[in-house]
Amino acid sequence: MFIFFTSCKDSNHTNNPIQISKAEKDTVSLYGPTGMVRNIRQDKKGNILIAAFKGVFRYDGKTFTNLTSKIKSPTFWDVLEDRKGNLWFASKDSGVYYYNKKGFQHFTIRNGLASNFVGSIYEDRAGNIWFATGGGASRYDGKSFRNFTTKDGLSSNAVTSIMEDKTGKLWFGTREEPCYYDGKKFTVFKKINGKPFYNVWSIIEDKKGNIWFGGSILKDRKGERGDTLVLEFGLWRYDGIDYTKVSNKGTSMILQDKNGDIWTTGALKVNGNWVFSRYDEESLYDKNPNVTEIFAQKGLGMLCGILEAKDGSIWFGSMNGVYRYNGKTLTDF
């Protein structure tokens, strides 16, 4: 491990899933995954779960175990341990894998999933498992899938993230505008000065009940085909009535820690540096909150998912693997 130092603080389907194999002995290493790490979670035992393009890994504090070494060639984007202790793996091109002590099961569009491109997994308070897919939002109740698309009022079928707030509304980030679902209908976020939001990758609810999301404003389309987009990056806060632009920094992933600080990853501008930042809780609602850039990756070195571990350390993914920050030291695994 290399150590860096910083001075900063409706459609229903009931098809049975494909049975793959019984769990076999997994590949264990002293080193973390190389290449892209999209998302990071923690299981009930405190192990760190890492969804990387080259596999889903479990870190027990000493070694990294590839939990998916027996699965052929999918590219993984997310991992989730549900309340029953079962694991779910989202893939870019092969749907969803379900893992328990007996082995793997595989869900695809053949079983009712909206798309085989699954970027994020979420478990709601009722125990339903939601999947943010390239073809809409899929809800799995343990028996069958129900898919929500633009036909139901979803703002875009390219869903990036899902979050349930304290009132029970489900929020969806999409490649276009964000929206929420109250159990009956979808409400799409209004435009800012006549310009729509665009490409929202992450949505959270803070301790005060405000909704935070990283998203661009689509200011204009240029070129003969209108495929050159003019975007205004930003981190936004929504209090139920008005939007506040907290920062001009591009924001892809957001987390609020136990102390109330907001952590983000995102690009400063198109083809610019990607930055891992912290917004201090004391000034979070000021006009100009205090923000500290913890780590920067030059060029197209994308930074991705964020996790606060039980010990208070902050983990984040990158194009080059996974990092852990303990408030003083940044560890590259």
Side-chain angles (χ1 to χ4, degrees), residues 162-178:
I162 302 172
M163 183 275 296
E164 184 178 19
D165 68 18
K166 297 173 184 176
T167 69
K169 292 196 296 288
L170 285 156
W171 295 77
F172 299 86
T174 78
R175 294 300 299 268
E176 296 182 20
E177 293 132 327

Side-chain angles (χ1 to χ4, degrees), residues 273-290:
N273 290 350
W274 282 74
V275 179
F276 172 53
S277 305
R278 183 190 64 232
Y279 294 80
D280 293 343
E281 189 274 337
E282 292 182 357
S283 63
L284 203 56
Y285 302 95
D286 294 348
K287 185 176 181 180
N288 296 303
N290 181 35

Side-chain angles (χ1 to χ4, degrees), residues 82-134:
D82 66 26
R83 63 187 62 186
K84 296 179 181 178
N86 304 309
L87 295 177
W88 296 85
F89 308 133
S91 78
K92 180 182 177 182
D93 43 21
S94 302
V96 174
Y97 294 83
Y98 168 84
Y99 179 79
N100 59 20
K101 294 180 180 179
K102 296 180 180 179
F104 288 93
Q105 292 179 342
H106 187 196
F107 297 92
T108 68
I109 56 175
R110 294 181 179 181
N111 310 109
L113 195 63
S115 168
N116 285 338
F117 179 13
V118 182
S120 180
I121 314 173
Y122 185 82
E123 184 177 19
D124 67 21
R125 289 200 289 267
N128 298 305
I129 307 296
W130 290 80
F131 305 99
T133 86

Side-chain angles (χ1 to χ4, degrees), residues 5 35 54 126 209 222 233 247 262 269 309 319 328:
F5 295 91
K54 295 183 179 181
K222 295 185 177 181
F233 289 169
S247 171
I262 294 284
K269 59 181 180 179
M319 288 280 289
K328 296 180 179 180

